[in-house]
């Protein structure tokens, strides 16, 4: 009996055109551009996001920081240690619970943020530069929509509002 099940041939084109592959490649490109532009500051994209969150929410703890930047809590400890060893943040025990360490930005960290922000903006612009302005706007709107609609599928869903609610501060 002939097999009437036509199978799609396995090719790299199927990989190269898959959304997941394209997202992963763009993430690689985005990190590469960020690192290239920000090389003088010795800061990774995750360290930058953490530093911004700590600056914006002084006294945040690691669990809430993880929720605010949507980054795995188990890996975030390394990020916090690197920021502290660079003198960019301080960790202090919470007066109510000594096990909890509260994070604040140092003067050196705040100074670095002021210096790096225009460079980060340049890196972000470079990522979108090949597109026409209207296409940039469309891409950003679609990406924001996809991220929002798929938030719960993430290993680390964004929970900024919930985390900040416990700080007694608004976003």
């Amino acid at each position: 009996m002939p097999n009437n099940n036509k199978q799609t041939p396995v090719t790299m084109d199927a990989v190269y055109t898959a959304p997941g592959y394209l997202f992963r490649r763009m993430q690689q490109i985005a990190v590469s551009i960020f690192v290239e532009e920000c090389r003088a500051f010795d800061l990774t994209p995750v360290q930058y996001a953490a530093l911004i969150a700590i600056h914006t929410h002084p006294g945040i703890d690691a669990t809430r920081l993880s929720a605010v930047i949507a980054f795995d809590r188990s890996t975030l400890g390394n990020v916090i240690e690197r920021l502290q060893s660079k003198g960019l943040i301080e960790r202090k025990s919470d007066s109510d619970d000594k096990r909890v360490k509260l994070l604040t930005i140092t003067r050196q960290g705040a100074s670095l943020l002021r210096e790096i922000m225009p460079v980060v903006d340049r890196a972000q612009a470079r990522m979108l530069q090949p597109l026409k302005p209207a296409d940039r706007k469309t891409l950003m709107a679609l990406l924001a929509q996809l991220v929002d609609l798929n938030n719960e599928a993430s290993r680390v869903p964004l929970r900024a509002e919930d985390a900040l609610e416990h700080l007694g501060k608004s976003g």
Side-chain angles (χ1 to χ4, degrees):
M1 243 187 179
N3 185 352
N4 290 334
N5 292 342
K6 290 186 180 180
Q7 291 188 345
T8 306
V10 177
T11 67
M12 284 308 295
D13 285 343
V15 173
Y16 295 151
T17 58
Y21 176 82
L22 292 170
F23 290 143
R24 182 184 66 78
R25 285 289 296 137
M26 192 59 226
Q27 196 269 343
Q28 288 175 320
I29 293 164
V31 169
S32 179
I33 290 171
F34 182 97
V35 168
E36 181 184 322
E37 290 287 344
C38 300
R39 181 168 280 118
F41 298 94
D42 188 30
L43 215 57
T44 67
V46 174
Q47 290 171 354
Y48 173 74
L51 200 56
I52 290 282
I54 294 165
H55 172 73
T56 307
H57 308 290
I60 194 168
D61 63 74
T63 300
R64 288 180 180 86
L65 178 61
S66 172
V68 168
I69 65 172
F71 195 72
D72 182 57
R73 175 66 182 95
S74 62
T75 314
L76 187 60
N78 293 333
V79 173
I80 291 169
E81 285 177 21
R82 285 190 184 95
L83 291 173
Q84 186 177 17
S85 71
K86 293 176 184 182
L88 303 176
I89 65 167
E90 292 179 342
R91 282 194 272 197
K92 296 178 184 170
S93 294
D94 184 0
S95 57
D96 295 332
D97 185 347
K98 299 295 182 201
R99 296 170 298 173
V100 175
K101 303 296 183 213
L102 304 179
L103 308 170
T104 56
I105 195 165
T106 63
R107 284 188 187 156
Q108 181 181 344
S111 175
L112 182 138
L113 272 185
R114 283 190 299 277
E115 291 178 47
I116 199 174
M117 290 188 78
V119 180
V120 171
D121 289 344
R122 184 172 64 228
Q124 300 298 322
R126 260 187 73 194
M127 293 170 204
L128 298 175
Q129 182 59 41
L131 297 176
K132 296 175 190 167
D135 291 340
R136 293 175 203 158
K137 187 174 183 177
T138 300
L139 175 65
M140 292 305 298
L142 289 172
L143 280 174
Q145 183 179 5
L146 272 173
V147 168
D148 184 52
L149 294 172
N150 285 308
N151 187 49
E152 296 306 316
S154 172
R155 286 183 327 145
V156 187
L158 181 63
R159 301 270 188 251
E161 296 83 13
D162 294 345
L164 299 177
E165 182 179 292
H166 296 289
L167 283 174
K169 300 175 183 181
S170 60

